[in-house]
Structure formats: C-alpha cells, structure tokens
Amino acid sequence: MPEMKNLVDIKPPDITVPNYEARYKAMLNAKAKAISERKKHLKLIDRILEEVANYGIWLMLGLIAFVLIYTIYKEKETEQKIVAGQERLEQKEQGEKKDIWQDEF
C-alpha cells in the first residue's frame, strides 16, 4: 500500500479550462473582418450581384406583390371602361327608338 504523503507534499492539480467564449468571439470577429476585406476588393457589379443573391427572395416577393397589385388595378380600370361603354350603347339604343304611333301619316 502506498504511503500517505504529508499535507505539504500534496499539490493541487493544475486544471485549466478552455475559454470557448473568447475563441467564439475571436472567430466571429475574424469572419466579419474577412467579409469586409473581401467586399472592399469587389467591383461594384459584384457587390450588387452579391446583395441580390443575399436578398433575392425578398426582391422576388416584392416584385410578385407589385405585379399582383398592378394587375388588379388594371383589371378594375378595364371593367369600368367596359361598363361605361355598355351604358353608352344602351343610351344610344334608347334614343333611337321611336314611337310609330306618334308619327303623322
């Protein structure tokens, strides 16, 4: 059986805990810095295309909403023109009717 050491001879264990939060923050900062550096070197058209790729779904949804609203607006306008044209035709037909009993023979 091993002998018991004196309390003076016993040293506390050297335990180190990795600092994951600092590593994570450093990784995010490095990633953000790399993205900003890459954007500085891009041409204008490349920047625009990248933003379109990032926000493309929102651009498409906006375009679809615009087309739907425009179509509904134009459809109402066309219906109003058709109704107005039909009313004019009805008025002309009513104006052309003559009462044959009123005419002199």
Side-chain angles (χ1 to χ4, degrees):
M1 186 159 20
E3 290 184 29
M4 229 11 220
K5 295 184 179 182
N6 285 338
L7 289 177
V8 178
D9 294 336
I10 298 175
K11 295 180 183 176
D14 187 23
I15 298 174
T16 57
V17 178
N19 193 351
Y20 291 114
E21 186 177 351
R23 287 184 188 175
Y24 182 69
K25 286 182 179 179
M27 180 190 69
L28 289 179
N29 289 338
K31 192 174 188 180
K33 187 177 178 182
I35 289 172
S36 66
E37 287 295 322
R38 188 173 64 89
K39 283 187 177 184
K40 286 181 184 177
H41 297 295
L42 291 177
K43 293 181 182 177
L44 179 62
I45 190 71
D46 293 332
R47 288 182 189 177
I48 293 171
L49 290 175
E50 184 176 330
E51 293 302 317
V52 167
N54 288 340
Y55 301 107
I57 187 73
W58 298 111
L59 289 173
M60 290 301 295
L61 289 175
L63 180 64
I64 290 170
F66 172 75
V67 168
L68 285 174
I69 292 169
Y70 183 76
T71 304
I72 291 170
Y73 172 75
K74 281 297 185 180
E75 186 175 324
K76 286 182 181 179
E77 187 177 292
T78 305
E79 287 177 0
Q80 289 174 355
K81 286 181 182 178
I82 290 172
V83 169
Q86 289 176 348
E87 288 176 356
R88 275 190 245 128
L89 285 175
E90 290 174 0
Q91 288 175 358
K92 284 183 183 178
E93 289 175 0
Q94 288 176 358
E96 292 176 359
K97 291 183 182 178
K98 293 183 179 177
D99 189 11
I100 59 170
W101 302 107
Q102 297 292 331
D103 291 340
E104 293 182 15
F105 290 102

